[in-house]
Amino acid sequence: MEITLQNILDAANRIQPYIHKTPVLTCQSINELSGIDFYFKCENFQKIGAFKIRGGMNASLSLSAEQLKNGIATHSSGNHAQALAFAAKTLGIKAYIVMPKTSPQVKVNAVKGYGATVIMCEPNQAAREEALQKVVSETGAEFIHPYDDYRVITGQATCIKEFIEEIPSLDFVITPVGGGGLLSGTSLGAHYMKPSLKVYAGEPEGAADAILSFKSGKVEKAPFINTIADGLMTTLSEQTLGIIKQHVTDILLVSEEEIKAALRLIYERMKIIVEPSCVVPFAAALRNKELFKGKKVGIILSGGNVDLTKFSEWFPGV
Amino acid sequence: MEITLQNILDAANRIQPYIHKTPVLTCQSINELSGIDFYFKCENFQKIGAFKIRGGMNASLSLSAEQLKNGIATHSSGNHAQALAFAAKTLGIKAYIVMPKTSPQVKVNAVKGYGATVIMCEPNQAAREEALQKVVSETGAEFIHPYDDYRVITGQATCIKEFIEEIPSLDFVITPVGGGGLLSGTSLGAHYMKPSLKVYAGEPEGAADAILSFKSGKVEKAPFINTIADGLMTTLSEQTLGIIKQHVTDILLVSEEEIKAALRLIYERMKIIVEPSCVVPFAAALRNKELFKGKKVGIILSGGNVDLTKFSEWFPGV
């Protein structure tokens, strides 16, 4: 299904009562040291602490009364799980969330806190899908995929709509890329609402599947997975890749050291908490200063749900 | 010298071009779990990352051209040092900052980054004062005390002015108390601008001097010092105690465990970075829920300059 501008505008209206219009922050000292004019769209301050509520809420609100009756289901290690749990609580329906046993405890607790049923599984794709199939066939719940779903992509596209409305003069926007829901939605939104706005993605070297897929034109796997950006380990889908190929300018890689340095900069200079996954675009801009120098660069800070016990790993004591 | 309402209004106008009007944030999940209607005045987003720029800038801008020529000086382990360094840079004058060798590296770096001259000393009061005397007599610089200075107190009072203007219906406001600059300024401002607003302070059990002084009526020392709230270790002065005795309702103690739990709550729920010193008032409200239940409670989140290497101590890994 082709997503239209009207679909995105409808989604924005549909979810508006349930989400925050997140602030866009700037930071003089970061601009001075980088020579780039950064604008940070703070989805870490969003409901559930991440942009994922946009897609999750849009998909849930698109269901018929008949579908709503049986609830919704998904597999997710993180923020999409919270998004569906929150949406289900808001709409007074059931949510069944399959989560790998390795999920950060803070995220499992949050999902349970919203009243969702959590089904733990082994941390691999086959186990996830099997557990999901089982719960869907037992309950009749509607499966809402974390990103391979046009309702989810359309919901994620509402973020760039707000961003362009607030900062119309943006030259670039950079998002992280995991499964490609945010990236495809952002690039579609930019295409419709501000075609001159160039859309980039940042991706960890330790989860470099999207860049391979972008170059080869078909969905590829990462050669290896080793990154603290735990939200970006998934591969693209045919659907997200199709949109990304059409509307994204380029995908930029960053190292683990660059992710940690960017994380430190945001924490120290902006005094806000963000996930490692969500500083990847910022790190990509810092690594490619010549590309963005003197330009207005929008960064979607996609989430802030961190497990505080990880701090000692990211910022080791002296 | 008696500080008048007009002094505070003048200070607000004087410093306005140089400081941020910081946002007031709320957090639905914290309100739900506490049963208190919290409003957080985010001075962690202030210039230099702390409210101290208000007092430092007001004092600096109050100097004559003759005084400015020789620069300004102080002893401070933390945010007041940065405040004067930033003020001096902004005004194009010299700053001499005596800092104990135990100061967090991030704060020493920030002070040097503003171009100030740093003089390191042993971490005790006698060494601080000796080093300061030396630099003042050598340079003729104007000493601006971190809190025992009516210009500084008047500057700190501008924060509650903004807070009351933004949330006129506040029932309570709680600040941290170290030397008492913020607390005395806040209580004076509330007295003039909203006399019904009750002013409390939060103080660590591990630096319990202000509560003793408040009860005895004379400046007392803490029975022992042991707290992660490293900005609250100083004692009151005659001047700050005089104002506090008149205009503060009470001082509430909190334990180290309560400080860490409050810190965790702010980090996890609000996604913002604050110093341990500045969650002490919030921890005090949570400890005294019956006092504040259902009321509008303003918390001045006084600063966000943390040494990230401390995270592993505050939030140990699993």
Side-chain angles (χ1 to χ4, degrees):
Chain A
M1 149 155 188
E2 175 120 12
I3 298 168
T4 65
L5 173 60
Q6 193 57 49
N7 294 147
I8 299 172
L9 301 179
D10 289 346
N13 282 331
R14 191 180 291 130
I15 68 177
Q16 182 269 325
Y18 306 101
I19 67 159
H20 291 309
K21 180 164 180 290
T22 52
V24 175
L25 299 186
T26 59
C27 179
Q28 191 184 341
S29 72
I30 287 178
N31 287 354
E32 282 171 6
L33 67 86
S34 65
I36 297 169
D37 205 4
F38 279 114
Y39 294 83
F40 298 95
K41 174 77 171 161
C42 289
E43 291 287 296
N44 57 323
F45 295 146
Q46 187 51 273
K47 285 277 174 193
I48 71 127
F51 75 94
K52 293 261 183 181
I53 189 62
R54 296 176 182 270
M57 191 56 92
N58 187 52
S60 302
L61 288 168
S62 305
L63 297 180
S64 67
E66 179 67 21
Q67 289 170 313
L68 284 171
K69 200 167 44 68
N70 296 327
I72 51 182
T74 201
H75 54 77
S76 164
S77 60
N79 289 328
H80 180 64
Q82 290 193 55
L84 289 205
F86 179 86
K89 189 189 175 196
T90 304
L91 302 177
I93 61 173
K94 285 191 173 150
Y96 306 94
I97 314 289
V98 174
M99 301 184 83
K101 291 197 292 195
T102 48
S103 306
Q105 193 57 42
V106 64
K107 295 190 177 178
V108 177
N109 290 348
V111 169
K112 288 185 177 170
Y114 293 127
T117 303
V118 172
I119 300 108
M120 287 294 187
C121 74
E122 292 301 314
N124 63 67
Q125 197 60 23
R128 279 179 174 220
E129 284 171 13
E130 193 185 328
L132 181 78
Q133 273 310 323
K134 189 158 175 286
V135 74
V136 164
S137 62
E138 282 173 9
T139 62
E142 170 83 3
F143 172 41
I144 299 176
H145 191 279
Y147 53 89
D148 191 27
D149 183 311
Y150 73 93
R151 301 163 299 187
V152 171
I153 295 170
T154 310
Q156 317 307 26
T158 62
C159 181
I160 188 66
K161 174 177 178 287
E162 286 176 20
F163 207 170
I164 293 171
E165 283 167 357
E166 184 149 350
I167 314 290
S169 56
L170 278 184
D171 297 305
F172 297 93
V173 66
I174 321 180
T175 80
V177 58
L182 180 62
L183 179 58
S184 60
T186 301
S187 68
L188 257 187
H191 166 68
Y192 288 130
M193 288 176 257
K194 184 177 178 182
S196 66
L197 175 60
K198 286 195 171 145
V199 179
Y200 282 75
E203 183 171 50
E205 290 174 351
D209 60 288
I211 192 167
L212 290 181
S213 309
F214 187 67
K215 286 181 175 166
S216 76
K218 54 188 209 295
V219 175
E220 310 267 6
K221 284 191 175 161
F224 68 100
I225 296 281
N226 184 17
T227 178
I228 62 168
D230 60 1
L232 308 185
M233 292 173 175
T234 42
T235 56
L236 301 179
S237 71
E238 293 295 342
Q239 186 172 199
T240 55
L241 177 59
I243 298 168
I244 289 167
K245 276 196 298 193
Q246 254 188 293
H247 300 300
V248 170
T249 301
D250 207 356
I251 296 177
L252 306 169
L253 292 179
V254 295
S255 70
E256 290 303 290
E257 284 316 300
E258 287 166 333
I259 296 172
K260 284 183 193 166
L263 201 58
R264 181 175 287 272
L265 212 48
I266 298 269
Y267 278 48
E268 285 186 349
R269 304 298 174 118
M270 297 186 64
K271 320 293 183 195
I272 62 174
I273 295 196
V274 293
E275 303 179 23
S277 302
C278 97
V279 300
V280 168
F282 175 53
L286 294 178
R287 177 164 166 172
N288 296 277
K289 284 204 188 77
E290 67 297 338
L291 189 57
F292 301 110
K293 200 152 203 70
K295 300 293 184 182
K296 294 191 173 177
V297 176
I299 301 287
I300 298 182
L301 291 177
S302 49
N305 292 325
V306 303
D307 193 338
L308 300 189
T309 62
K310 293 281 183 187
F311 279 176
S312 59
E313 197 179 294
W314 306 336
F315 311 111
V318 281
Chain B
M1 154 159 179
E2 176 118 12
I3 297 168
T4 64
L5 174 59
Q6 193 57 48
N7 294 148
I8 300 173
L9 301 179
D10 289 346
N13 282 330
R14 190 180 292 129
I15 67 178
Q16 182 269 325
Y18 306 101
I19 67 159
H20 291 309
K21 180 165 180 289
T22 52
V24 174
L25 299 186
T26 60
C27 179
Q28 191 184 341
S29 72
I30 287 178
N31 287 353
E32 282 171 5
L33 67 86
S34 65
I36 298 169
D37 205 3
F38 280 113
Y39 295 83
F40 297 96
K41 175 77 170 160
C42 290
E43 291 287 295
N44 58 323
F45 295 147
Q46 188 50 270
K47 286 278 174 192
I48 71 126
F51 75 94
K52 293 261 182 180
I53 190 60
R54 296 176 182 270
M57 192 56 91
N58 186 52
S60 302
L61 289 167
S62 304
L63 298 180
S64 66
E66 179 67 21
Q67 289 170 312
L68 284 171
K69 200 165 45 66
N70 296 326
I72 52 183
T74 200
H75 55 78
S76 164
S77 59
N79 290 327
H80 179 63
Q82 289 194 55
L84 289 205
F86 179 86
K89 187 189 175 197
T90 305
L91 302 177
I93 61 172
K94 286 193 172 147
Y96 306 92
I97 315 289
V98 174
M99 299 184 84
K101 291 197 291 194
T102 48
S103 307
Q105 194 57 43
V106 64
K107 295 191 178 180
V108 177
N109 291 347
V111 169
K112 287 185 177 169
Y114 293 127
T117 302
V118 173
I119 299 107
M120 287 294 187
C121 73
E122 292 301 315
N124 63 67
Q125 197 60 23
R128 279 180 174 218
E129 286 171 13
E130 193 186 328
L132 180 78
Q133 273 311 321
K134 189 159 174 286
V135 73
V136 164
S137 62
E138 281 172 9
T139 63
E142 172 82 4
F143 171 41
I144 299 176
H145 190 280
Y147 53 88
D148 191 28
D149 183 312
Y150 73 94
R151 301 163 299 187
V152 171
I153 295 170
T154 310
Q156 317 307 26
T158 61
C159 181
I160 189 67
K161 174 178 177 289
E162 286 176 20
F163 207 170
I164 293 171
E165 283 168 357
E166 183 149 351
I167 315 289
S169 56
L170 277 184
D171 297 305
F172 296 92
V173 66
I174 320 180
T175 79
V177 57
L182 180 63
L183 179 58
S184 60
T186 300
S187 68
L188 256 187
H191 166 68
Y192 288 130
M193 288 176 257
K194 184 176 178 182
S196 67
L197 176 60
K198 285 194 173 149
V199 180
Y200 282 75
E203 182 171 50
E205 290 174 352
D209 60 288
I211 191 166
L212 290 181
S213 308
F214 187 68
K215 285 181 175 165
S216 77
K218 55 187 207 293
V219 176
E220 310 267 6
K221 285 190 175 161
F224 69 99
I225 297 280
N226 183 18
T227 179
I228 62 168
D230 60 0
L232 308 184
M233 293 173 173
T234 42
T235 56
L236 301 179
S237 71
E238 292 295 340
Q239 187 173 196
T240 56
L241 176 58
I243 299 169
I244 289 166
K245 275 196 299 193
Q246 254 188 296
H247 300 299
V248 170
T249 301
D250 206 357
I251 296 176
L252 306 169
L253 292 180
V254 295
S255 70
E256 290 302 291
E257 283 317 299
E258 289 166 332
I259 296 173
K260 284 183 193 166
L263 201 58
R264 181 175 287 273
L265 212 48
I266 298 270
Y267 278 48
E268 284 187 347
R269 305 297 175 117
M270 297 185 65
K271 321 292 184 195
I272 62 174
I273 296 195
V274 293
E275 301 178 25
S277 302
C278 97
V279 300
V280 167
F282 176 53
L286 294 177
R287 177 164 168 172
N288 296 277
K289 285 203 189 76
E290 67 298 338
L291 188 57
F292 301 110
K293 201 153 202 69
K295 300 294 185 180
K296 294 191 175 178
V297 177
I299 302 287
I300 298 182
L301 290 177
S302 50
N305 292 324
V306 304
D307 194 338
L308 299 189
T309 62
K310 293 281 182 187
F311 279 176
S312 58
E313 199 178 291
W314 305 336
F315 311 111
V318 282

